[in-house]
Amino acid sequence: MNDMQILIEQMVSDISGQAVRLDDLHLQLFLNWLNAHSNMVKTITILDGQVGEQIQLVVAVRDKESIAERLKTGLRGWFACLPMQGLLWEYHIILDEITWWRDLDHHRLVMIMGSEERQ
């Protein structure tokens, strides 16, 4: 394994480990956000200027072990296509999002759930 692969593996492990610690509702809402976020990444520019294919993360499995494995697989593929700056950027954005969902108070969660039901 080269240094980049080792870094990606550590990042993927960090993200999936923190994500599965969320309770079921917060985890599902985080995964919904992650799917929407990854869909916004229409193309990825590789270091040599080539345009890569669209990367889409889809994680819709019920048990947390399966979720962790599917999440790791999706993130590995996505992160491997990113230049270093993009990799670091996405890693921090995703960790910040997990923290946001973890720290979300009950009142705001109820507001979010109400707005999602209306859509």
Side-chain angles (χ1 to χ4, degrees):
M1 228 186 244
N2 69 32
D3 290 344
M4 185 69 146
Q5 289 170 321
I6 292 169
L7 177 62
I8 289 171
E9 200 56 41
Q10 183 60 52
M11 290 175 164
V12 165
S13 180
D14 288 347
I15 291 168
S16 65
Q18 288 189 38
V20 298
R21 288 187 188 102
L22 295 170
D23 66 58
D24 290 345
L25 178 57
H26 287 94
L27 176 59
Q28 187 57 55
L29 292 169
F30 162 71
L31 294 174
N32 291 348
W33 171 85
L34 184 59
N35 285 330
H37 176 71
S38 66
N39 283 333
M40 289 175 21
V41 181
K42 298 298 182 194
T43 58
I44 296 171
T45 303
I46 301 174
L47 285 174
D48 64 0
Q50 302 275 338
V51 175
E53 62 188 60
Q54 181 176 349
I55 304 298
Q56 184 175 357
L57 298 176
V58 177
V59 181
V61 182
R62 296 287 177 228
D63 66 277
K64 287 192 175 184
E65 187 174 310
S66 296
I67 289 172
E69 286 309 310
R70 296 273 311 271
L71 182 58
K72 285 179 183 179
T73 300
L75 289 172
R76 278 184 198 115
W78 185 20
F79 285 180
C81 295
L82 293 173
M84 181 58 78
Q85 182 178 5
L87 174 61
L88 296 173
W89 180 263
E90 290 299 337
Y91 174 68
H92 288 290
I93 287 174
I94 294 168
L95 289 179
D96 287 346
E97 188 71 18
I98 292 169
T99 300
W100 188 87
W101 284 108
R102 185 190 66 227
D103 295 343
L104 183 66
D105 65 68
H106 181 73
H107 178 70
R108 289 202 172 133
L109 178 60
V110 169
M111 288 174 44
I112 290 169
M113 295 303 295
S115 70
E116 284 198 2
E117 287 176 6
R118 285 177 276 193
Q119 293 179 358

